Amino acid sequence: MVIFVSAALLLGISLLTRPINHDEGQYVGAIALMRQGVPYRDFAYLQTPLQPLLLAPLSFLPAGWLLVGARIANALFGWISLALLLFGLRGRTPPWAAIVAVIALACTDVFLFGCSVARNDALPMMLLSAAVALLLQPRTLGKRSYLTAGLLLGLAASAKISFALPAAGAGVFLLVQGREAGWRPILSFTAGAMAGLLPTAVMALLAPEQFYFSVFRYSLEAPQQWWASVGHAELLTPSRKLRDLLKYSSSGSILPGILLGALDRRRLPQLLLLDCMIVGGLVTAYLPDPAFRQYLVPLLPSLFARLAITLGHLQPKFRWTTLFCLGALSIAGLSTTAADMRRSGRRGSELVRAVTIGSAVAELSRGGSVATLAPELVAGSNVQLDRRFVTGPFLFRTEGALAREALRLDYSPNWQSVQLLGNVGPSAIVLGTEVEARPPMHPHGLDWYLERWARGRNYSEHKLAGGISVFLAPHIPVESPQ
């Protein structure tokens, strides 16, 4: 009980003090627009669709509070992931080893990041943790259990496509074990996985062109295009990606988990299952460009379950050294959260500020449409977010054929085609989060293009806290929000 209360407190502190991440906008915006339609067909969504479908009830929260609600939901998913792993490890390893592994996971920065921001990492991690907990049960698993495990892993891929590789690792293991266990487990597992992919299949059938562009083409082309255009092509090189993944892995217990698993020579079926899923997690962490910490999240459930089982079988002479190393790395994993706490203590919480900004934008826009590259601040039931800007900066910063295809699908204009907003544009344009210079392509930042358009059409500027500006259309008078 103490572990779970402490974990809840840690996650609460992290979600409250973690700075706003511009990735959050596309997820918060998609949830908000669920009141008006579904992903792909009615608005752009650059991931598989389960998260906005599941969190659609949050769309009735007002601007600012929707961001808070999405962060709380992710923290809850992370907390449940810890509980599921601890439950799944019962009888598989001594209780102390399971507790140590779960604590080490909770103190890993990759885990805390995934559970503290309004991205789509925590929901599939929870589903993957549930599948791992189920598959770790004794080998007398029935057909229904394999069906459920497959369903959970299919749903995880429906929440984020990168979780398909750890799921595939479990499938490969069951396929290899088919001669011994029979083919019923793999058939049940496959049927469950197909059922879990149904939300994705249905959304894809509703808008096949939009789905392909959003989930596949954008992911394959846009990151390389963006980082090369702003002079950071080195981030895409294999050596740099490996170096960055090592850096993120060292802020917590990911590296010792991999090392201990590699040194464990036992070939028990459950360990081989976890190893297959770990390999899938490692591959999926490396594939995206460039390497960011969130790409390690699909690795966590299987890796820390493997760590718990390995700890329980360590010889006593190695045990205390290993525990000391895990403790030291757990402290390192908490360093980012500690820094966020200090920053919030000095400057205030960005999350609290977002609530204030959302309320002010709602009052200033007076029900008119709002365009912004920061939908996380304005998306909510009391703000009419311009659906073309639901992805925040991500479609706006594309160029070439990718940008032309987005326009053809009636998605966002890019920075070169802001004039397509027309002579009668949005009622309000909210700027201030994409001001960083990105030479050589964007020396004034991305917000500059929208600001220039607004000033050229006599929009009036109203400044809010945190460097945020609201540009109001000429027909809306500037009044201070109450």
Side-chain angles (χ1 to χ4, degrees), residues 377-401:
L377 299 178
V378 307
S381 60
N382 56 347
V383 171
Q384 184 185 335
L385 176 66
D386 188 323
R387 66 176 183 83
R388 293 172 295 181
F389 290 86
V390 66
T391 65
F394 294 103
L395 286 176
F396 186 80
R397 69 191 193 185
T398 58
E399 56 186 305

Side-chain angles (χ1 to χ4, degrees), residues 38-42 45 200-217 405 408-409 411:
V38 294
Y40 318 122
R41 187 191 67 185
D42 300 309
Y45 184 61
T200 300
V202 170
M203 293 298 105
L205 288 172
L206 288 176
E209 273 192 294
Q210 292 91 328
F211 174 81
Y212 174 78
F213 172 82
S214 300
V215 177
F216 294 105
R217 184 176 177 186
E405 182 68 5
R408 189 184 72 81
L409 296 174
Y411 287 167

Side-chain angles (χ1 to χ4, degrees), residues 169-203:
V172 168
F173 169 80
L174 292 175
L175 191 63
V176 171
Q177 295 288 308
R179 292 183 179 179
E180 298 179 12
W183 294 106
R184 285 189 176 182
I186 188 65
L187 292 176
S188 298
F189 177 87
T190 303
M194 293 299 102
L197 290 171
L198 274 178
T200 300
V202 170
M203 293 298 105

